[in-house]
Amino acid sequence: MRKPGTTAPDGTALSNEVDGFLAFFDACLSRCLKTPYRYLEEGLGITSKLEGSEESRAVYTPAAVPSPLFFTILEELKYRASKEKDNWSSDVLAIFAFLRRFILSLLGKQPDLRYARHLARVLEGYAEVEGLNGVVFDAVQRELKILRRCLEFDYDSMEETPAVFNANVLKEFMNLSSTQSSSWQYQTAVFIDRLRLDMTVESEDVVMLMASTLASLPGSTEAIRELLLNISSPEILWALLGYEDEVGDVARKSVPFHYAFIQANMEVFKSNKNIRTLASIFHSEVERSAASAKRNANLISLRVQADISRQIPLSESSASYALRILNIALGELPRDVASPAVHQLFATEFVREICSLQGELYLSKAPIVTNKRGNYSNLAANVRGLLSESSTEDKDLVQSICAYWSSIISGAPAQTHYPRWAVSEGPFDAAVELALKWVVRRFAEDKTDKPALLKSLEILGGLLSHATEIKPYLAEPVLTAAVQHRLDRAEPMQFASQLARNVTLKPPNTNRLIQSIVQHPQFQLHVRQTTLPATREALVALLEALFKAHPNTTCQPNSVAAVVSLYTGTQSLADRRLLSVFQLFERHRRVSVSSLLSRWSAKAGSVSSSAFEAVTSLDSTKMERTFLNFPQSRSIAVDQVREYRDCDGESYDPVFAMLLLAACVNEGSIKSGISWVELFRTNVLSVVVAGMSSREGDMRRMATSVLGLVWRALQKVTFHERDQTIFVLNRLRYFIPPPDPAKPQAAPTRLPTCTSLLFAHTLHCIFYPATFFYPVAMRFLLQRPTFNPNDVPLIFEMLFKGSEDWKQHRTWMVAYLRDSMRGSRDWAVLRKRHAWDLLATIFQESPHDPALRLAILEVWSFIAAW
């Protein structure tokens, strides 16, 4: 409402917009009533001009198209804009402003953004008038720029320069606000005119002063609503909504949800306070009208679609924040209001688009699914029917579903407890069923996997465990297609392993899948270790799941023999899974797997003729790394979950190494002394000795048994290093008490790591006598009739060596102390010898030896960790 004689900053006369717009609207209404079908057909005809296939445009039913009156207004606006070629009146600005707000309010009823974007382009075409200028024209361009940015949800592409703080403008508004004799409608019109017509006015200080003035007027809610709807800057809008005062309270009660949500960029979403504000606005609107829940949920869905179509990474998109808003807002609503919102949440694009990630998984094209409520042509309608049939816990259902999807998208654990809805309501069963039908088509028809498909498999894999029951007739084709066409791909194999763990197949079908894998030509690529580690690990996970599904049927000697060639003997996750399969075979077949493992070889693609050849194929360097970093928490039972931690693919599995050495000794294939030397040069005996410091009793018991086997076997052979080896074993034997007949299963006492490591190093040096530590270790053991296992050997001699090679001895001892620090008991032994103080002295005395100082710092870090 303007007073007569009002002018723009450039002198343009401004008429009363109310009178001008009402006259314009009355003319449009009269024209529409004369030929309504013409404009109705015009609105429906626009759908044929939209992008996409004819099937995708079919979603625009007459209910989704604006009324014929809207197209009458467009036609009249085109005439008005072309008629006033020289200078637009302020009435044209009012019409453009109305249409901008009307199109944005339509988004809650649109199936996607194509129609609204087409209307925005039509309006932009009306405003492309050459030679036209002036503040009214600039204001029209501002309205169109706001519309375009809101429909694209692209806040990074803003080109306008923010208004700079102007003290004179602020002073002018302070003087203006001090006189409040006029009505609130007039005061609001003055402020809105300045915002739209003067580009230097829109700054946070000026807008805040405007809002403070309007908040004190009688019609404050309507006045501030008008002000907010004309703010173009998301930062200023949300700064106003964030004020914790009366102005902020009125602003939050006044702003429509759709405009606040559209104007929220990613910086706004990252604030928990703003998320709560949006949820509160959503909640208050739904309390006034249940229909707004459907519109607002659809608007949120459209924004998620926009992020997906622009291929924004899911971690940077608005999807997770949108679901947090729904989780907070809908979870607090009463049952009769929440149910339509839940239906809309799943009846729109959420399940379809979130499963698809980048728009690849179009579940709406899935076959018709039938239930008690009739036929539904897509997943959304099917889920709607399922939820409509639910009779209890709608409120809990809303919170849990939103929390679940939020956890999937954000990667963070959901804060809501999952009740029985996941298994009682069945929305995930429908999603899994349709997803499996889509996946099998992709595996069978596509030769290459698009990045969107690979990301979708990751999402769907997490969904499988929440389905009530996965139908075998749907899972088997997926597994078969994955084995036949994707055996060399990590993501499909990982999805197949997750599917195999969550479905119950028939024993013959499971066994057939195993045979298809081991007989596949690409299986030999994994055997020859030419594939990526992640791919091999995913394949092994699938094999483990299949073997454990029906052990009595799957644990066949020929199947396990084929899998043995895939085993590399390391501590990697894949090898531990395979070792668990071997133990599963022994438990169910009640026969030892040693006969199969004796043909194993560490050399890819090779086969050993005996256990001795299998042991000697081991890499001595990798075996040395094994006893230096022995996994002291490792247990023989690899089925335990904790055993899959700290997997190291660069060192051998000590359980496998000990069992293979025991099989070699029991086999009796070592006939000559040179063969014993070749065996011990693999450092396998040092790994067994390191096992005496294991924290697990079963590991120490096995290490003791293997040492006993080797000691007895050495009594019957002759070679140059035999006596030295027996001497070291005898010194070690002194610390192993004889078994107690009353406790035959009792494990031997655990040795400190420094003791077992010294004997492991000594045995290594016996067969590598060129090592400088060989004479040091043997002299130390030969000069002492007894050995104190609770002491640090050679610490003073090695750290403070007076010979020319003192630096080599000191460096070795520092590394030895680092490897010996594996627990509180080891720290007690080191503290007894004041190891910390000795290292601190050396650290201070070696300012020009950075390598030594770094090694000492590593020792201290190991000590501090315990």
Side-chain angles (χ1 to χ4, degrees), residues 603-827:
K603 300 175 182 178
S606 301
V607 177
S608 301
S609 59
S610 63
F612 168 76
E613 188 174 336
V615 175
T616 54
S617 68
L618 296 171
D619 185 358
S620 60
T621 303
K622 190 179 291 187
M623 194 66 76
E624 182 179 3
R625 176 186 173 91
T626 304
F627 78 76
L628 289 176
N629 301 279
F630 191 92
Q632 294 187 351
S633 297
R634 176 80 160 86
S635 176
I636 297 178
V638 295
D639 287 337
Q640 301 177 20
V641 176
R642 63 185 180 90
E643 290 302 319
Y644 290 99
R645 301 177 183 174
D646 302 328
C647 298
D648 181 12
E650 297 301 322
S651 59
Y652 286 116
D653 190 338
V655 174
F656 172 69
M658 292 183 192
L659 293 175
L660 195 60
L661 177 59
C664 177
V665 175
N666 286 327
E667 188 181 58
S669 58
I670 311 177
K671 302 299 183 182
S672 62
I674 193 63
S675 297
W676 281 98
V677 174
E678 185 180 357
L679 177 72
F680 289 145
R681 284 179 65 86
T682 62
N683 294 317
V684 66
L685 191 58
S686 296
V687 173
V688 180
V689 172
M692 296 302 299
S693 295
S694 174
R695 296 187 182 91
E696 299 295 330
D698 56 355
M699 183 71 80
R700 297 198 302 272
R701 192 162 48 244
M702 183 172 66
T704 303
S705 300
V706 176
L707 288 175
L709 283 175
V710 174
W711 184 86
R712 283 194 297 270
L714 290 178
Q715 307 303 317
K716 305 175 184 179
V717 297
T718 302
F719 55 95
H720 181 71
E721 295 86 354
R722 168 186 175 276
D723 294 338
Q724 300 176 61
T725 305
I726 293 177
F727 168 75
V728 174
L729 292 179
N730 283 335
R731 299 300 298 269
L732 182 62
R733 184 184 178 189
Y734 176 79
F735 307 120
I736 303 174
D740 186 358
K743 300 178 180 179
Q745 298 299 323
T749 305
R750 177 173 178 253
L751 294 180
T753 306
C754 60
T755 300
S756 64
L757 196 58
L758 173 70
F759 283 97
H761 274 295
T762 304
L763 288 171
H764 165 75
C765 294
I766 290 175
F767 298 95
Y768 291 90
T771 307
F772 84 95
F773 186 66
Y774 171 66
V776 177
M778 295 305 297
R779 183 168 55 249
F780 175 80
L781 293 176
L782 290 170
Q783 287 177 351
R784 288 163 176 77
T786 59
F787 179 81
N788 183 7
N790 296 312
D791 194 5
V792 183
L794 298 167
I795 184 169
F796 290 103
E797 180 181 350
M798 298 289 283
L799 287 179
F800 303 101
K801 187 77 172 178
S803 60
E804 295 180 355
D805 55 353
W806 63 270
K807 187 172 183 179
Q808 185 180 27
H809 287 70
R810 178 175 290 182
T811 303
W812 186 94
M813 176 51 69
V814 172
Y816 171 77
L817 293 176
R818 178 198 62 201
D819 297 334
S820 299
M821 188 58 232
R822 303 294 294 277
S824 57
R825 184 177 179 185
D826 298 323
W827 165 237

Side-chain angles (χ1 to χ4, degrees), residues 423 428-429 432-433 464 466-472 502-504:
V423 295
F428 294 107
D429 291 350
V432 168
E433 179 178 342
L464 295 175
H466 295 281
T468 307
E469 180 183 5
I470 299 177
K471 297 179 177 60
N502 289 281
V503 68
T504 303

Side-chain angles (χ1 to χ4, degrees), residues 455-501:
K455 295 293 291 183
S456 301
L457 293 178
E458 181 181 353
I459 295 285
L460 295 174
L463 191 65
L464 295 175
S465 60
H466 295 281
T468 307
E469 180 183 5
I470 299 177
K471 297 179 177 60
Y473 69 85
L474 294 175
E476 287 178 15
V478 175
L479 293 173
T480 302
V483 170
Q484 290 179 353
H485 305 290
R486 298 295 190 277
L487 203 66
D488 58 341
R489 310 286 176 82
E491 291 83 357
M493 285 294 98
Q494 184 64 36
F495 176 77
S497 66
Q498 292 174 309
L499 180 60
R501 285 193 294 269

Side-chain angles (χ1 to χ4, degrees), residues 564 567-569 596-602 608 614 617-618 656 660:
V564 166
Y567 186 61
T568 60
L596 298 176
L597 291 179
S598 62
R599 296 180 57 80
W600 174 87
S601 176
S608 301
S617 68
L618 296 171
F656 172 69
L660 195 60

Side-chain angles (χ1 to χ4, degrees), residues 552-626:
N552 292 326
T553 302
T554 57
C555 290
Q556 301 293 333
N558 59 340
S559 300
V560 176
V563 172
V564 166
S565 60
L566 199 61
Y567 186 61
T568 60
T570 67
Q571 298 183 61
S572 64
L573 177 60
D575 284 339
R576 293 194 181 190
R577 291 185 186 277
L578 289 174
L579 192 59
S580 70
V581 172
F582 300 154
Q583 292 183 346
L584 184 73
F585 173 82
E586 292 183 330
R587 285 199 302 269
H588 287 271
R589 305 298 294 186
R590 299 187 181 277
V591 295
S592 175
V593 78
S594 59
S595 59
L596 298 176
L597 291 179
S598 62
R599 296 180 57 80
W600 174 87
S601 176
K603 300 175 182 178
S606 301
V607 177
S608 301
S609 59
S610 63
F612 168 76
E613 188 174 336
V615 175
T616 54
S617 68
L618 296 171
D619 185 358
S620 60
T621 303
K622 190 179 291 187
M623 194 66 76
E624 182 179 3
R625 176 186 173 91
T626 304

